[in-house]
Amino acid sequence: MDAISFVLGIKSSHLRSSHLRDLVYRGRVLRTSTINGDGSAVKATNGHTNGDLHSDHEEIDTQPSQTERHDPKSAWVMAVYEDDMGDEQLWKRSITNQGASEYRINNRVVSAHQYNEALEAENILIKARNFLVFQGDVEAIASQSPKDLTRLIEQISGSLEYKSEYERLKDVQEQTAEQQNFTLNRRRGINAEVKQYQEQKKEADNYAKKADERDQAVVTHILWKLFHFQRVMEESGAEIKKHQEELKEFRRGVEKYEKGLEDAKKDQARVGRDVGKVERNIKRKAKDVEDKENGLIPIDEKMDISNEKLKKYSKRIAEIAKERDGQSSTVAQLNKDLKVVGKASAKWEAEWQKRAKTEGRQLDEADLREYNRLKEEVNKRTSANQIKADNLTRQKKTDEETVHSLESKVKATEWQVAKLEGEMNEMNERKDGIQDQIKQASQEMEGKKKEFNSLTSARLRAAQNQTELDEKLQEVLKKLLDADDGRRQSEKELRIKETIATLKRIFPGVRGRISELCKPKLKKYGEAVSTVLGRHFDAVVVDNEKTAKDCIQYLRDQRAGQATFIPLDSIQVKPISSNLKGMHRGMRMAIDTIEYESSVERAMSYACGNAVVCDDLGVAKYICYEKGVEAKAVTLDGTVIHKGGLMTGGRGPGQQNARRWEDAEVENLRRLKDNLLAEIASLPKGHRRGTEEETLQGDLTGLEQRLTYAREELKGLERNLSSKAKETDFARRQLEEAKPKYEERLRELRNVEENLREFVDAIGEVEDEVFTDFCQRLRYDNIRTYEAQQGSLQQEGAQKKLEFNMQKSKLENQLSFENQRLRTTQDRIKTLEAQSKRDQTLISELEIEKATIKGDLDTLNAELEQLKQQLEDEKAKYDQKAEKVAEQRRQVQKRGKNVEGTLKLVAGLEAEIHGNASSRYALLRRCKLEDIDLPLTQDSKTLDQLPVDELLQNDPDEMDLDDDPNSSSVHRQAACDYGIDVYFEDLEDDLKENADEKLDEELQERIDALNSDLAKMAPNMRAIERLEGVENKLKSTEKDFEDARKQAKKAKDDFQAVKEHRFELFNKAFSHISEQISQVYKDLTRSVNFSMGGQAYLDMEDSDEPYLEGIKYHAMPPMKRFRDMEHLSGGEKTMAALALLFAIHSYQPSPFFVLDEVDAALDNANVAKISNYIREHAGPGMQFIVISLKTGLFQGSEALVGIYRDQAANSSKALTLDVGPILI
């Protein structure tokens, strides 16, 4: 079956080998045959064979080299096929032992593809295997699944070849259809976008018209404000110039004393710089001294460590020198013993030569001939025993040498084990001693560490307490300094307090300022609350409007400045919007962040309004921009987003106002300062590390170094112990291996000697019989006595020489080992001496370095004392200069009171100018930031040149009583117009004449109404731009959709064509097989009792595309009800499977059909049915070749073929028998 499958192109995976090269026969080849180049064998005729003949039945397997040269290198099978016309074709396939195939048709070499085409031309389908059935195929077909049956029919029909193309085109069809749907949906979406943007374009046009109207209203409102700001500033400026002329006269009298004050301050500053310089020099010198002292510590530690190492080196050198002396004496003793053995050997050699000369005895020539003749006779009679005795003698000598060698090895190993054990004992004793030293050093080190840590902890705690107290004191002093700076920078605060106190005394209805009547609930709200209150921060709360008017009149009469009053009875308070509460967890109402009395609640609500306090700027933007809440949002750091969307940030007056919340804490800070100073004074004075701590540090360093060396030495000992232990284990293993060998060899030697004695005794009996007369005549007891006399001397000499040589070898080996140990010991001594010398040199260098550092330290200490004395002198000078500055300051303050009256008036006017200028700047800044097209004159600068980082006042009505002369410069800077000249001609005259706040509200309401309308519209301003882009995209999408539609149609047509062709091929084969299966099964199951036979049919699971699903095969034997295939018996399954095979074979049948033991599971009755079916369907166009062991099949055949192997030819041979005439 393998040969037929092989020659007809079946793959090796279906044969009984995994590789083609395994098909080459590698079995036995007769030695009388030779191998040809093609692998065949022929019988040798010239006497040459494949190998030497070892025995009658011995094969070549004992000589692999020759066998490999003569193994078959190739194999071949040739099939002879005769077609219906009588023409023969020779199909031959060869295989080499390298796995290479060769195909021939009619002795012409062809390719594998051409070979397959030639077979397919005869309807022999290799892939479908329609010409043969293997032994296991019947069982596999009977138990196969519907899917497997579908695949089998696909192979027979040829539709399987279109499977990959079918799947590829199906994927292409699905992809193109998906692409078509995608482009279609995309086109629909773009059409919807076009409509949407067209509507949005109309909304954008309406929005633009409304925005232009809003912008014009904003410009009108801003022009109205700017016009009235500028008018007030010009009037106030004229008043200020008048008062400044008066100030010049007063200040001339003060300039003289101010100049003296400035000179005194310069002198004080110069002396202060000298003091600071000296203090820095002292710190540098102190650091240098500390560095030098710290530099001595490692030098002392290194010297202690080096001295300790010198002691260890000396001790170790003494110990090793002792070992060296012992080893030297051992070497000398071994040399002496070796000389003694040499002398004894020479003496014995001389004595042995002398003895050999005296004891030797010679025979005459006749006796010698007689001896030789008798010896030959003895040799003839005892030749066999002589050979065995000689062999045993040689074996005995060999065994004796081996036994002596093993005995020497055992003794040497025992001596080595004893020596290694002694060395290990010594090393263990040293290890125990070092471990004790380590333990003692560790305990001592632990105690030192505890003591050192205790001292260090105490010092660190004191230093930490000192540092913590210093930090707290610095923080308190900084806060006090900030509070003092606030009061120095705003002396008007004191005057405001005095004025408010006076008003409270005169008018009972005065409650106080807003800043005094409330305070933040939490400190973090201080800056935010100050910013929220703004111009109301210093506003005065009164009971009624009459009290407010009386206070204003009093301030005018006394020229005490300006103030804002909030009457509780007439103030208009807007209700707080309830929608703002809870809008965001990071936001809260400003009114909820302050504490106040309920009697002033209306004033607090008025001052705070709907303002909210946010945790950060992100929350504020969310509230104002995303939620669109029209309320002032203030962050914790003072950043403001106003109702109109303008954002204000940076540091301004709000930070100064925030300091006023801290007045109540100043006294607490002063008390805390006094307490901290007392605690610092009670602490021990800081000092450098004491002598005791330094000593402990040095001791710890020495102990650590000593412990490190001890541990290193312990590790070295442990490594040596480990090495010695391994050597000892190895020596013991050698001893354990050598002893059994020695004892075994000794027993073998005893056995050899005993066997030798038996053969020698037998030979001796023959010798005694032959040499009787010879020995009597020469007066020898026997011939062996004579031979022993001649040979004993040689034997004795050889034995003695062997003993002397063994003793010399032993002594030389011991001497070599001891010399090696001695050299190693001497090298160790040299290494330790070199290390000792190096450490001595290091100690000398360290002593020199230590002396140098001490000299430098003495010099630095002397310089440090000089600097301290210089510092005391400079501090005395500084105190004198400070007293002089204080005196000059008192003189200036005494003569400056004449200026105060005029400054109050100027300060009021400047505050008014500053407020209006700030408001003007804020409007201009808003125009720049919001790109408001403000009309300007031709000579004016543009708004782009306006700076946006100036610090502005929040409101012109804020109370300002500061009469510091330096503040005028700030006001003048704020009043700067920045070169921007606004064009007011477009402003209507009635707006120029009317400055009422109601008009301001009307203008703002108009803007708010327009903004509200715009906010409701919310158009897409980019609709026109996007409309054009979407229309272009629509054109591109239309083209993509048309391309995708064409591709989808083409892919569908291609797939449909392949699908129809595949279905046609499959359906053609299925229809034929389905029609044949019923009749074939009936023919196979028909019998005398059941003439109708059984029933069988095929059932498709998918009639549209049957090759995608399974095909079920149903068979119902005669007189049986329907059951599944797995419930049939083995024979019934086989008959059903054969019926399916025959039906499949009937579609595109091959000219022959090979069946390999398909009847294995059948009984005789079913075998007979198979035989009848084959005979009925066999004919000229159909040949059945059946391989069977059942007589029911081959006894009814037309011819029998037997296959056997020709051993001589190394090939298969066939025997044929035509039984047709016999059957007839």
Side-chain angles (χ1 to χ4, degrees), residues 836-1053:
S836 177
K837 185 176 180 180
R838 187 172 61 250
D839 287 345
Q840 288 176 354
T841 304
L842 178 62
I843 290 172
S844 300
E845 294 174 354
L846 291 174
E847 288 177 349
I848 295 172
E849 185 178 357
K850 183 177 179 181
T852 302
I853 291 174
K854 284 186 174 180
D856 295 341
L857 189 60
D858 294 339
T859 303
L860 290 173
N861 284 326
E863 294 175 355
L864 183 61
E865 292 298 328
Q866 292 177 0
L867 289 173
K868 288 180 178 179
Q869 183 62 37
Q870 184 180 353
L871 177 63
E872 293 179 359
D873 297 339
E874 294 294 336
K875 282 184 177 180
K877 293 179 181 178
Y878 183 79
D879 292 339
Q880 294 175 2
K881 297 296 181 181
E883 181 61 29
K884 185 177 180 181
V885 169
E887 179 62 27
Q888 291 293 331
R889 184 179 285 114
R890 285 192 294 271
Q891 293 295 331
V892 171
Q893 291 175 354
K894 183 197 269 186
R895 289 166 177 77
K897 292 180 180 179
N898 297 327
V899 189
E900 291 182 0
T902 306
L903 284 177
K904 288 181 181 180
L905 298 175
V906 173
L909 293 171
E910 286 181 344
E912 188 172 4
I913 292 174
H914 184 267
N916 285 278
S918 299
S919 299
R920 180 179 184 275
Y921 171 77
L923 285 174
L924 294 175
R925 184 172 179 270
R926 176 189 169 192
C927 292
K928 177 179 179 180
L929 295 176
E930 298 181 7
D931 293 331
I932 296 174
D933 188 12
L934 190 67
L936 303 176
T937 62
Q938 293 181 354
D939 299 332
S940 172
K941 293 184 179 179
T942 62
L943 290 176
D944 293 336
Q945 296 174 314
L946 178 71
V948 294
D949 55 352
E950 297 290 335
L951 295 178
L952 305 177
Q953 299 295 333
N954 285 332
D955 197 278
D957 295 331
E958 183 177 2
M959 185 173 181
D960 188 2
L961 298 178
D962 192 357
D963 59 353
D964 189 352
N966 296 328
S967 63
S968 62
S969 63
V970 178
H971 296 162
R972 284 193 294 273
Q973 182 181 358
C976 179
D977 59 4
Y978 303 102
I980 296 174
D981 187 9
V982 182
Y983 184 74
F984 295 108
E985 296 299 328
D986 294 337
L987 189 64
E988 297 177 1
D989 293 337
D990 55 348
L991 294 177
K992 292 180 180 179
E993 296 173 357
N994 189 357
D996 192 1
E997 292 184 359
K998 291 183 179 180
L999 181 59
D1000 184 18
E1001 294 178 357
E1002 291 175 0
L1003 294 173
Q1004 185 62 43
E1005 288 176 358
R1006 171 63 177 162
I1007 295 172
D1008 293 342
L1010 292 172
N1011 281 328
S1012 178
D1013 294 340
L1014 290 172
K1016 293 177 182 178
M1017 296 175 70
N1020 183 2
M1021 303 306 295
R1022 299 184 63 185
I1024 299 174
E1025 177 185 350
R1026 292 184 178 178
L1027 178 60
E1028 182 180 354
V1030 171
E1031 289 176 346
N1032 294 331
K1033 190 187 296 183
L1034 179 61
K1035 295 178 182 179
S1036 176
T1037 305
E1038 290 284 356
K1039 184 177 180 300
D1040 293 342
F1041 172 73
E1042 187 63 24
D1043 295 340
R1045 187 185 63 78
K1046 292 178 181 179
Q1047 292 176 359
K1049 185 177 182 305
K1050 182 179 182 302
K1052 182 178 180 181
D1053 295 342

